[in-house]
Amino acid sequence: MQRDMRLDGADHPQVVAVPPVIYAGAFGLGLILEGLVRTDVPGSTLRFGLGALLLIVGIGLMWSALRAFRAAGTHVEPYLPATALVTTGPYRFTRNPIYLGMTSVYLGAGSLSDSLWILLLAIPVLALMHYGVVLREEAYLTAKFGGRYQDYTHSVRRWI
């Protein structure tokens, strides 16, 4: 068993917030900003087509990743302990398919809502996800699964 490096000894990554809350909070803030200062995303036909495509791809990616978690019998919630290392399904191609899916859904919904604010807020969302969630989860999984996780990180990209 690997040594637990977290100060409070909790068996879960110490993420700054639950990822859906990060995305939903940014989306809500974007809507508020849109109400204060109206913006438009150029290209209505392209915007709708791209937005719909991003929504479909994102939902499909998240659904596939959640199925892989269920099949492995482990928790998807970052506030619960990981009981298995998931490397099947979309995890064969990316270490973060759920977060890629959430980002795709966020960008698709932002595009469909015609809000430049929402799309611009994707930048701080991705920074917060990287530093406040992903890196913390990686440290947790390294401590929990050791060499198995390290080998996985060397063979599968973090994002795409």
Side-chain angles (χ1 to χ4, degrees):
M1 182 97 169
Q2 296 293 319
R3 187 172 160 246
D4 190 343
M5 312 262 318
R6 290 165 306 285
L7 295 176
D8 70 357
D11 185 14
H12 60 85
Q14 303 295 307
V15 298
V16 296
V18 180
V21 171
I22 294 171
Y23 285 93
F27 199 89
L29 177 60
L31 291 176
I32 291 168
L33 291 171
E34 191 64 38
L36 296 173
V37 180
R38 177 83 181 117
T39 63
D40 289 316
V41 178
S44 63
T45 303
L46 177 62
R47 177 175 52 85
F48 281 112
L50 182 60
L53 178 64
L54 286 169
L55 276 173
I56 291 167
V57 167
I59 290 168
L61 191 54
M62 287 188 297
W63 178 79
S64 178
L66 291 173
R67 282 188 51 168
F69 263 83
R70 274 189 232 113
T74 190
H75 303 286
V76 69
E77 300 88 350
Y79 50 84
L80 295 173
T83 58
L85 183 59
V86 181
T87 60
T88 60
Y91 289 91
R92 293 173 296 162
F93 310 107
T94 174
R95 297 195 312 255
N96 295 289
I98 293 175
Y99 302 151
L100 280 174
M102 285 182 184
T103 302
S104 182
V105 167
Y106 179 90
L107 293 172
S111 180
L112 290 172
S113 69
D114 193 23
S115 171
L116 192 56
W117 285 114
I118 290 172
L119 296 176
L120 289 174
L121 286 172
I123 296 166
V125 163
L126 291 174
L128 184 58
M129 286 297 298
H130 180 74
Y131 293 104
V133 177
V134 172
L135 293 182
R136 292 169 183 236
E137 287 181 342
E138 288 180 352
Y140 166 76
L141 293 170
T142 298
K144 180 118 184 174
F145 297 107
R148 285 180 48 221
Y149 183 71
Q150 294 275 325
D151 291 344
Y152 174 66
T153 64
H154 294 301
S155 63
V156 176
R157 292 175 184 251
R158 180 180 283 145
W159 296 110
I160 337 179

